[in-house]
Amino acid sequence: MKLFMNEKKTLLIQAVSKNPWIGGIYYRKNIIFSLLQNEKFKNHFNVILLIDANYEKDFADFHEEIKLQICNSLNILYVSAKLFFCIMKYRVKFIFPFINLKFLKYMKITPISWIYDFQHLYYPTYFSEKEIRRRNLLFSKIANDNNPLIVSSNCAKNDLLNYFNPSRQKLYVVHFISYIENELNKLTLSREGEILQKYGIEANRYICISNQFWQHKNHKAVFEAIRIMSRKKYEFPLFVFTGVLSDRRNASYIKELEIIMEDELVKPHIKVLGFIEREEQLAIIKNALFLIQPSLFEGWGTFLEEAKVMDKWVILSDIPVHKEQMSSKCILYNAESSEDLSLKIIGYLTSDYETLSSLNIEKMRRDALAYSHDFMHLLTDED
């Protein structure tokens, strides 16, 4: 692809933040991958990625098809200067997600906004009053300006319409896939074996939960389900958790989890690996007997998208967005009931489910192309 021909427009995707969120980095990667599946997009648009130097390696797969601009400082003045440089050099037409800089409106640049989710409206006790006010002010402003706005699910769209009553027309639902093809291609059987050996686990002999230990991810439901199964003397495999055992919004929740994890009915059945390398995380997901996603709230879950690519069975909380996102290999349970979760786990273990799986790379590509049309629609609407 020849970059920055005069007849093409330029989309700048920014991924620079003082408080980086790894899910947000992966989200941008997934969006870029989807757009690059679309020949119409590549014929009419160029992509610049303004990226924090710490995450440059995550976008190495795209270095021949997009232009990387590395930001070596998170100082707001430096970032603004770097952004202005990119705008002037590459004649940027669109910026995503929207950066609130006043000079943009004088340069005929279309900012594209993104609201990730409305969790604070459903679980306000998980947030400080200051954070709730900040989100409400920001989301209200975004909802009622004239810029195109992306949400990641129809559930999020309905939340926006119900809670913020936006006076806008340009509202788009753009799902995303999880682009993990290259990582999976590098995972040879021998490498997978090394990773499993490193953590002392055996393929198809454990159940995997791969989330950060934030309160809305609802690990407590899994620990309680383990306690229930232990009391009933059921036989079940080891539970393997990845993710950092911390929640910056609620330290007391982590202390509560730690107490439960020390329970004699729970402790022998769990292994918490902490935050591990991406390659290792995917190997552990791929080799699990099945997965559990107990989350109480999601915008559009990356973990579930990864499960689809790896063709894994998932026992899934029955929240609305999961019903929208689920595949045929998902088993729903009552998100408010650890008892129901325990029954679904035992039901899977004692039933004759087809456990063979194969990578769904081609389906991932087809879905990415389909989702790219939704993003393209907002770009061409601006013409």
Side-chain angles (χ1 to χ4, degrees), residues 6-7 21 48 86 114 148 163 175 198 207 209 260 308 343 350 358 369 371-372:
N6 289 334
E7 69 271 14
W21 164 43
I48 299 174
C86 292
W114 172 47
Y163 288 99
H175 299 323
K198 173 181 176 179
I207 299 163
I209 301 91
I260 298 172
K308 291 178 184 178
L343 292 174
T350 57
S358 58
L369 176 59
Y371 300 157
S372 76

PDB file of all heavy atoms in Angstrom, residues 6-7 21 48 86 114 148 163 175 198 207 209 260 308 343 350 358 369 371-372:
ATOM      1  N   ASN A   6      -2.095  11.959  -2.679  1.00  0.00           N
ATOM      2  CA  ASN A   6      -2.939  13.143  -2.536  1.00  0.00           C
ATOM      3  C   ASN A   6      -4.420  12.835  -2.570  1.00  0.00           C
ATOM      4  O   ASN A   6      -5.225  13.516  -1.942  1.00  0.00           O
ATOM      5  CB  ASN A   6      -2.590  14.162  -3.623  1.00  0.00           C
ATOM      6  CG  ASN A   6      -1.230  14.802  -3.398  1.00  0.00           C
ATOM      7  OD1 ASN A   6      -0.766  14.870  -2.269  1.00  0.00           O
ATOM      8  ND2 ASN A   6      -0.599  15.248  -4.467  1.00  0.00           N
ATOM      9  N   GLU A   7      -4.807  11.802  -3.339  1.00  0.00           N
ATOM     10  CA  GLU A   7      -6.229  11.521  -3.491  1.00  0.00           C
ATOM     11  C   GLU A   7      -6.820  10.799  -2.282  1.00  0.00           C
ATOM     12  O   GLU A   7      -8.021  10.604  -2.198  1.00  0.00           O
ATOM     13  CB  GLU A   7      -6.488  10.690  -4.755  1.00  0.00           C
ATOM     14  CG  GLU A   7      -5.968   9.258  -4.707  1.00  0.00           C
ATOM     15  CD  GLU A   7      -4.538   9.135  -5.189  1.00  0.00           C
ATOM     16  OE1 GLU A   7      -3.859  10.190  -5.301  1.00  0.00           O
ATOM     17  OE2 GLU A   7      -4.107   8.009  -5.478  1.00  0.00           O
ATOM     18  N   TRP A  21      -4.618   2.063  29.369  1.00  0.00           N
ATOM     19  CA  TRP A  21      -5.503   0.938  29.658  1.00  0.00           C
ATOM     20  C   TRP A  21      -5.234  -0.087  28.572  1.00  0.00           C
ATOM     21  O   TRP A  21      -5.457   0.165  27.394  1.00  0.00           O
ATOM     22  CB  TRP A  21      -6.949   1.441  29.652  1.00  0.00           C
ATOM     23  CG  TRP A  21      -8.012   0.408  29.566  1.00  0.00           C
ATOM     24  CD1 TRP A  21      -8.072  -0.779  30.239  1.00  0.00           C
ATOM     25  CD2 TRP A  21      -9.182   0.482  28.751  1.00  0.00           C
ATOM     26  NE1 TRP A  21      -9.207  -1.460  29.894  1.00  0.00           N
ATOM     27  CE2 TRP A  21      -9.908  -0.705  28.990  1.00  0.00           C
ATOM     28  CE3 TRP A  21      -9.692   1.431  27.861  1.00  0.00           C
ATOM     29  CZ2 TRP A  21     -11.124  -0.977  28.355  1.00  0.00           C
ATOM     30  CZ3 TRP A  21     -10.890   1.161  27.228  1.00  0.00           C
ATOM     31  CH2 TRP A  21     -11.596  -0.022  27.490  1.00  0.00           C
ATOM     32  N   ILE A  48      -2.631   6.832  10.200  1.00  0.00           N
ATOM     33  CA  ILE A  48      -1.499   7.165  11.064  1.00  0.00           C
ATOM     34  C   ILE A  48      -1.872   6.721  12.472  1.00  0.00           C
ATOM     35  O   ILE A  48      -3.003   6.949  12.920  1.00  0.00           O
ATOM     36  CB  ILE A  48      -1.225   8.681  11.100  1.00  0.00           C
ATOM     37  CG1 ILE A  48      -0.881   9.200   9.720  1.00  0.00           C
ATOM     38  CG2 ILE A  48      -0.093   9.002  12.065  1.00  0.00           C
ATOM     39  CD1 ILE A  48      -0.759  10.703   9.684  1.00  0.00           C
ATOM     40  N   CYS A  86       1.625  15.836  13.056  1.00  0.00           N
ATOM     41  CA  CYS A  86       1.005  14.798  12.223  1.00  0.00           C
ATOM     42  C   CYS A  86      -0.109  15.376  11.357  1.00  0.00           C
ATOM     43  O   CYS A  86      -0.220  15.052  10.165  1.00  0.00           O
ATOM     44  CB  CYS A  86       0.444  13.680  13.102  1.00  0.00           C
ATOM     45  SG  CYS A  86       1.681  12.700  13.954  1.00  0.00           S
ATOM     46  N   TRP A 114     -15.646   8.080  20.969  1.00  0.00           N
ATOM     47  CA  TRP A 114     -15.906   6.688  21.353  1.00  0.00           C
ATOM     48  C   TRP A 114     -16.258   6.669  22.833  1.00  0.00           C
ATOM     49  O   TRP A 114     -15.540   7.236  23.652  1.00  0.00           O
ATOM     50  CB  TRP A 114     -14.660   5.833  21.107  1.00  0.00           C
ATOM     51  CG  TRP A 114     -14.721   4.428  21.642  1.00  0.00           C
ATOM     52  CD1 TRP A 114     -15.752   3.543  21.499  1.00  0.00           C
ATOM     53  CD2 TRP A 114     -13.706   3.745  22.398  1.00  0.00           C
ATOM     54  NE1 TRP A 114     -15.443   2.347  22.109  1.00  0.00           N
ATOM     55  CE2 TRP A 114     -14.195   2.438  22.680  1.00  0.00           C
ATOM     56  CE3 TRP A 114     -12.443   4.098  22.864  1.00  0.00           C
ATOM     57  CZ2 TRP A 114     -13.457   1.498  23.392  1.00  0.00           C
ATOM     58  CZ3 TRP A 114     -11.709   3.165  23.573  1.00  0.00           C
ATOM     59  CH2 TRP A 114     -12.211   1.880  23.827  1.00  0.00           C
ATOM     60  N   PRO A 148     -19.217  12.418  14.889  1.00  0.00           N
ATOM     61  CA  PRO A 148     -19.616  11.009  14.864  1.00  0.00           C
ATOM     62  C   PRO A 148     -19.222  10.332  16.175  1.00  0.00           C
ATOM     63  O   PRO A 148     -18.181  10.633  16.755  1.00  0.00           O
ATOM     64  CB  PRO A 148     -18.806  10.434  13.689  1.00  0.00           C
ATOM     65  CG  PRO A 148     -18.430  11.609  12.859  1.00  0.00           C
ATOM     66  CD  PRO A 148     -18.283  12.758  13.802  1.00  0.00           C
ATOM     67  N   TYR A 163     -30.167   7.062  28.799  1.00  0.00           N
ATOM     68  CA  TYR A 163     -29.662   7.854  29.931  1.00  0.00           C
ATOM     69  C   TYR A 163     -29.252   9.272  29.543  1.00  0.00           C
ATOM     70  O   TYR A 163     -29.259  10.168  30.378  1.00  0.00           O
ATOM     71  CB  TYR A 163     -28.480   7.150  30.585  1.00  0.00           C
ATOM     72  CG  TYR A 163     -28.859   5.920  31.378  1.00  0.00           C
ATOM     73  CD1 TYR A 163     -28.717   4.656  30.836  1.00  0.00           C
ATOM     74  CD2 TYR A 163     -29.378   6.036  32.664  1.00  0.00           C
ATOM     75  CE1 TYR A 163     -29.073   3.520  31.563  1.00  0.00           C
ATOM     76  CE2 TYR A 163     -29.735   4.914  33.403  1.00  0.00           C
ATOM     77  CZ  TYR A 163     -29.583   3.659  32.838  1.00  0.00           C
ATOM     78  OH  TYR A 163     -29.923   2.543  33.558  1.00  0.00           O
ATOM     79  N   HIS A 175     -18.810  -3.167  16.231  1.00  0.00           N
ATOM     80  CA  HIS A 175     -18.240  -4.277  17.003  1.00  0.00           C
ATOM     81  C   HIS A 175     -16.760  -4.425  16.637  1.00  0.00           C
ATOM     82  O   HIS A 175     -16.289  -3.880  15.639  1.00  0.00           O
ATOM     83  CB  HIS A 175     -18.956  -5.583  16.672  1.00  0.00           C
ATOM     84  CG  HIS A 175     -20.413  -5.583  16.992  1.00  0.00           C
ATOM     85  ND1 HIS A 175     -20.939  -4.960  18.093  1.00  0.00           N
ATOM     86  CD2 HIS A 175     -21.475  -6.141  16.344  1.00  0.00           C
ATOM     87  CE1 HIS A 175     -22.243  -5.135  18.124  1.00  0.00           C
ATOM     88  NE2 HIS A 175     -22.591  -5.839  17.072  1.00  0.00           N
ATOM     89  N   LYS A 198       6.005 -24.199  32.700  1.00  0.00           N
ATOM     90  CA  LYS A 198       6.457 -23.081  33.527  1.00  0.00           C
ATOM     91  C   LYS A 198       5.485 -22.806  34.670  1.00  0.00           C
ATOM     92  O   LYS A 198       5.900 -22.516  35.803  1.00  0.00           O
ATOM     93  CB  LYS A 198       6.618 -21.834  32.655  1.00  0.00           C
ATOM     94  CG  LYS A 198       6.933 -20.563  33.429  1.00  0.00           C
ATOM     95  CD  LYS A 198       7.044 -19.361  32.499  1.00  0.00           C
ATOM     96  CE  LYS A 198       7.253 -18.069  33.281  1.00  0.00           C
ATOM     97  NZ  LYS A 198       7.383 -16.887  32.372  1.00  0.00           N
ATOM     98  N   ILE A 207      -9.554 -25.127  34.145  1.00  0.00           N
ATOM     99  CA  ILE A 207     -10.545 -24.165  33.669  1.00  0.00           C
ATOM    100  C   ILE A 207      -9.908 -22.788  33.775  1.00  0.00           C
ATOM    101  O   ILE A 207      -9.256 -22.474  34.773  1.00  0.00           O
ATOM    102  CB  ILE A 207     -11.817 -24.241  34.534  1.00  0.00           C
ATOM    103  CG1 ILE A 207     -12.436 -25.641  34.451  1.00  0.00           C
ATOM    104  CG2 ILE A 207     -12.835 -23.179  34.109  1.00  0.00           C
ATOM    105  CD1 ILE A 207     -13.424 -25.937  35.567  1.00  0.00           C
ATOM    106  N   ILE A 209      -9.927 -18.531  33.686  1.00  0.00           N
ATOM    107  CA  ILE A 209     -10.585 -17.225  33.804  1.00  0.00           C
ATOM    108  C   ILE A 209      -9.494 -16.180  33.601  1.00  0.00           C
ATOM    109  O   ILE A 209      -8.550 -16.104  34.395  1.00  0.00           O
ATOM    110  CB  ILE A 209     -11.251 -17.033  35.193  1.00  0.00           C
ATOM    111  CG1 ILE A 209     -12.288 -18.130  35.449  1.00  0.00           C
ATOM    112  CG2 ILE A 209     -11.895 -15.645  35.282  1.00  0.00           C
ATOM    113  CD1 ILE A 209     -11.734 -19.342  36.147  1.00  0.00           C
ATOM    114  N   ILE A 260     -11.335 -15.060  50.794  1.00  0.00           N
ATOM    115  CA  ILE A 260     -12.037 -16.203  50.193  1.00  0.00           C
ATOM    116  C   ILE A 260     -11.043 -17.188  49.595  1.00  0.00           C
ATOM    117  O   ILE A 260     -11.191 -18.409  49.731  1.00  0.00           O
ATOM    118  CB  ILE A 260     -13.023 -15.721  49.107  1.00  0.00           C
ATOM    119  CG1 ILE A 260     -14.098 -14.823  49.714  1.00  0.00           C
ATOM    120  CG2 ILE A 260     -13.678 -16.910  48.400  1.00  0.00           C
ATOM    121  CD1 ILE A 260     -14.997 -14.161  48.695  1.00  0.00           C
ATOM    122  N   LYS A 308     -13.724 -16.976  20.803  1.00  0.00           N
ATOM    123  CA  LYS A 308     -14.286 -17.295  19.490  1.00  0.00           C
ATOM    124  C   LYS A 308     -13.194 -17.685  18.498  1.00  0.00           C
ATOM    125  O   LYS A 308     -13.328 -18.654  17.750  1.00  0.00           O
ATOM    126  CB  LYS A 308     -15.065 -16.095  18.938  1.00  0.00           C
ATOM    127  CG  LYS A 308     -16.352 -15.760  19.672  1.00  0.00           C
ATOM    128  CD  LYS A 308     -16.981 -14.524  19.055  1.00  0.00           C
ATOM    129  CE  LYS A 308     -18.206 -14.059  19.785  1.00  0.00           C
ATOM    130  NZ  LYS A 308     -18.780 -12.817  19.195  1.00  0.00           N
ATOM    131  N   LEU A 343     -23.593 -25.227  39.056  1.00  0.00           N
ATOM    132  CA  LEU A 343     -24.373 -26.236  38.332  1.00  0.00           C
ATOM    133  C   LEU A 343     -23.981 -26.302  36.864  1.00  0.00           C
ATOM    134  O   LEU A 343     -23.903 -27.391  36.275  1.00  0.00           O
ATOM    135  CB  LEU A 343     -25.869 -25.929  38.463  1.00  0.00           C
ATOM    136  CG  LEU A 343     -26.472 -26.081  39.859  1.00  0.00           C
ATOM    137  CD1 LEU A 343     -27.915 -25.603  39.871  1.00  0.00           C
ATOM    138  CD2 LEU A 343     -26.384 -27.529  40.334  1.00  0.00           C
ATOM    139  N   THR A 350     -19.915 -33.134  33.234  1.00  0.00           N
ATOM    140  CA  THR A 350     -20.571 -34.444  33.229  1.00  0.00           C
ATOM    141  C   THR A 350     -21.381 -34.702  31.964  1.00  0.00           C
ATOM    142  O   THR A 350     -22.023 -35.741  31.842  1.00  0.00           O
ATOM    143  CB  THR A 350     -21.494 -34.580  34.455  1.00  0.00           C
ATOM    144  OG1 THR A 350     -22.447 -33.505  34.455  1.00  0.00           O
ATOM    145  CG2 THR A 350     -20.686 -34.549  35.742  1.00  0.00           C
ATOM    146  N   SER A 358     -10.695 -25.888  16.811  1.00  0.00           N
ATOM    147  CA  SER A 358      -9.736 -25.489  15.780  1.00  0.00           C
ATOM    148  C   SER A 358      -9.783 -23.982  15.647  1.00  0.00           C
ATOM    149  O   SER A 358     -10.815 -23.350  15.921  1.00  0.00           O
ATOM    150  CB  SER A 358     -10.052 -26.154  14.438  1.00  0.00           C
ATOM    151  OG  SER A 358     -11.366 -25.825  14.026  1.00  0.00           O
ATOM    152  N   LEU A 369     -13.956  -7.845   8.501  1.00  0.00           N
ATOM    153  CA  LEU A 369     -14.375  -7.144   7.286  1.00  0.00           C
ATOM    154  C   LEU A 369     -15.790  -6.593   7.455  1.00  0.00           C
ATOM    155  O   LEU A 369     -16.068  -5.437   7.091  1.00  0.00           O
ATOM    156  CB  LEU A 369     -14.306  -8.082   6.090  1.00  0.00           C
ATOM    157  CG  LEU A 369     -14.816  -7.508   4.756  1.00  0.00           C
ATOM    158  CD1 LEU A 369     -14.042  -6.264   4.355  1.00  0.00           C
ATOM    159  CD2 LEU A 369     -14.740  -8.569   3.664  1.00  0.00           C
ATOM    160  N   TYR A 371     -17.317  -5.757  10.214  1.00  0.00           N
ATOM    161  CA  TYR A 371     -17.310  -4.633  11.149  1.00  0.00           C
ATOM    162  C   TYR A 371     -16.672  -3.395  10.527  1.00  0.00           C
ATOM    163  O   TYR A 371     -17.022  -2.260  10.865  1.00  0.00           O
ATOM    164  CB  TYR A 371     -16.573  -5.016  12.431  1.00  0.00           C
ATOM    165  CG  TYR A 371     -17.178  -6.187  13.179  1.00  0.00           C
ATOM    166  CD1 TYR A 371     -16.428  -6.951  14.057  1.00  0.00           C
ATOM    167  CD2 TYR A 371     -18.516  -6.542  12.997  1.00  0.00           C
ATOM    168  CE1 TYR A 371     -16.977  -8.033  14.739  1.00  0.00           C
ATOM    169  CE2 TYR A 371     -19.073  -7.617  13.659  1.00  0.00           C
ATOM    170  CZ  TYR A 371     -18.298  -8.363  14.527  1.00  0.00           C
ATOM    171  OH  TYR A 371     -18.847  -9.433  15.203  1.00  0.00           O
ATOM    172  N   SER A 372     -15.729  -3.598   9.603  1.00  0.00           N
ATOM    173  CA  SER A 372     -15.076  -2.456   8.959  1.00  0.00           C
ATOM    174  C   SER A 372     -16.071  -1.629   8.161  1.00  0.00           C
ATOM    175  O   SER A 372     -15.913  -0.412   8.030  1.00  0.00           O
ATOM    176  CB  SER A 372     -13.942  -2.927   8.049  1.00  0.00           C
ATOM    177  OG  SER A 372     -14.438  -3.476   6.829  1.00  0.00           O
TER     178      SER A 372
END
